Amino acid sequence: MAAFRISVWMAPALLAVPTIALAQQAASPPSLSFEAALLRLDRTSPGLSGEDHAVRASEALAAATRTLRRPVVTASASVIEYQKTLSVDLANAKDQAIGATSDFLQQVGGEVPSQYQAIVAQVTQRVGAALPGLFSAIPDTLQFQTRDTVFRPEISAVLPLYTGGAISAVQAGAEAAVGIARAQQAGGHDLSRVALVRAYFGQSVAAQLALSSRQTLDGFERHLADAQKLEAQGMLAHGRVLQVQVARDTAARAFDRAQSEEATAADALSRMLDQPSRIAATTPLFVNSAPLPPVQTFLDGIDQAPRAKGADAARAAAQAGVDLAKSRYRPQAFAYGSYNANRDNTVPTDPDWVAGATLRYTLLSNFDRRKTLDAAHERAAAAADAAAQARKDIAGEIVRAWNITEAARRSFLLLDSSLAAARENVRVQQLSFTEGEVASSALIDAEAALATAQTQRIAAAYEYDLGLAALLAASHRADDFTNFMRGADRHVGDQR
């Protein structure tokens, strides 16, 4: 019966256990490995998406310039209302007609028989006298006016035959723009990897530091409890208890700051990955105990680095500008044609069709072509210098990142012995303090040394991971980061 009563009393608590567990599971943030975060970044990053759009836009523009040598055919339709007035001067024609008629009449009399000449002479005299009156009916000026509305559909075509290299220059410039956009896309891709490493493992650093500060606080909580017990037994002075109390309060404040920094780091990672809730980073900080490949291995890939390729593309664009400036000194030739599709309703001066070719050469331009060419040459020289400088900068970044990464690796490995010694020192000082053999300050110093060693080890691992990401990004091998991560043999949390 008693056993029954106990089971009945425990039933609500037992029923509550699954509920509490489910609530904790629901409240815990979703776990995400670094590789999963990388995939999510590629899907959700507006910056990467924007670079993709820029590349597609430049590729479409370059494709549009490939048809510049084709003819341009246009269709047009016009409605024209016009009025035309024509004036014809008839005064001279009238005088010439009167003179010619008089001459004709005079000749007529000599061509008839003599017996009829007297009659003909009378007739011709009368006709000659009547000529001015007859011609006076004809006006000195004849005017003609017409007004009409014309519908004129027309098809025209222009074909470039020779442009002095302008078309080739425009096409080369468009292709160079594609190269620049692709270089920016690749650079954005590499930088996104570095940014993710900084945010993802930055959260791991914050979580590890929060855990370390929690452990330090727990240690001081135990030390304070032990000190208070010793004080109650009269074995420890109150001043030493206060020293432990101060150290415990300092550890509590450090833990609060670590929690705040962890929350800030988690928020930064969530925003980067467009995740509304907090994300728990599951991939630990790592270090490869083996040295990095020689620095020359990374320097050999400078020409493939996005900045180097972008600088080369900019140099190609500048050279296209030189070619375009040179084309302004050369002639241009075009073939053209036009066809009137409504011949029955046209202005009298309009042709039915037109075809021809034009050769044009600019003798004098109001825009100084020599200065334009000089400016293009200067831009090409500047682009060449920028490409050379970019390679120097990339080489410097590779060497610097390689040195930082290697130094962090060695520092991490050397901290193993320091961390083991610090843990042993805390254990020894704790036993000595409990037995009253050492002052509380020695225990506090031992705890501080352990916390420092743990923090330095975390910092060294983070510096290694971030330096490795920067090194791979500088040499355009950012995607190899996961290979280094998978091959790592040391992780923060290892007790080796």
Side-chain angles (χ1 to χ4, degrees), residues 64 96 101 134-135 235 250 256 266 284 321 325 359 429 480 493:
Q96 292 176 0
T101 304
L134 293 174
F135 278 93
M235 298 176 60
T250 301
D256 289 340
L359 180 66
Q429 295 300 330
D480 290 344

Side-chain angles (χ1 to χ4, degrees), residues 302-326:
I302 285 181
D303 289 338
Q304 299 303 317
R307 273 190 295 167
K309 297 184 76 171
D312 291 342
R315 183 170 56 182
Q319 183 58 47
V322 173
D323 296 337
L324 184 62
K326 288 180 179 179

Side-chain angles (χ1 to χ4, degrees), residues 384-403:
D385 291 341
Q389 185 62 45
R391 282 169 169 76
K392 289 183 179 181
D393 294 342
I394 294 169
E397 291 176 4
I398 290 175
V399 173
R400 183 166 54 253
W402 190 91
N403 289 329

Side-chain angles (χ1 to χ4, degrees), residues 89-100 132 135-141:
D89 185 8
L90 300 179
N92 293 332
K94 287 170 56 177
D95 294 340
Q96 292 176 0
I98 293 173
F135 278 93
S136 64
I138 301 174
D140 293 338
T141 302

